[in-house]
Each structure stands twice: as structure tokens, then as C-alpha cells.
Amino acid sequence: SMDLAHLRYFREIARLGSISAAARVLKVSQPTLSVAVRQLEESLRATLLMRHRGGVSLTAAGAELLRHADELFALLD
């Protein structure tokens, strides 16, 4: 099942374009965020982030998940 905390982490990574920046904002470790992304990717069987020297960018699947996550959190708020 999809973990809401993992989705929240993913949204913050996407917003900031950086796992390390998201870790600082969320006050969790970078490995925690990396594991969360990996678990999301495994459950969706899709790559969500492309890692590069300057940070991360969303794949098409990542952009799609972000849209759904934004809708979900709008409903929950």
C-alpha cells in the first residue's frame, strides 16, 4: 500500500529538486528519503526520479505521481 509519509517526502523532493534539500526541510536523513523513493518506485514498478549532479528531476511517471499526490493532499487538507 502507498505510504502517505513517503508521498509527502516525494512531494518535497520534487518541489525542491534535491534529496539533500528535502532532508534538511523535513528534518530526516537523506538515506530515509532515498529508501522512501525506492519503496515508492518498487510499489509502482516505475522510476520516479532521475538523479544528476545538481539534484534530481522527475521522470514522466514521477510527474504523474506528483499530480496525483497534489490532488490527494488537497483533499486531505
Side-chain angles (χ1 to χ4, degrees):
S1 67
M2 190 82 42
D3 186 321
L4 277 185
H6 289 182
L7 267 187
R8 193 165 307 231
Y9 291 169
F10 171 74
R11 271 178 98 207
E12 201 62 17
I13 293 164
R15 185 175 77 82
L16 295 168
S18 162
I19 290 176
S20 54
R24 280 196 299 278
V25 167
L26 294 163
K27 296 181 171 59
V28 297
S29 72
Q30 288 189 48
T32 296
L33 293 189
S34 295
V35 167
V37 170
R38 192 157 61 246
Q39 289 178 347
L40 283 173
E41 289 180 328
E42 283 170 8
S43 68
L44 294 167
R45 295 184 178 83
T47 301
L48 301 173
L49 297 175
M50 297 302 296
R51 291 157 179 79
H52 47 80
R53 205 166 48 84
V56 294
S57 50
L58 294 178
T59 62
E64 180 79 6
L65 178 61
L66 182 61
R67 260 204 311 285
H68 292 300
D70 285 341
E71 290 168 8
L72 178 63
F73 286 112
L75 284 173
L76 291 175
D77 284 347

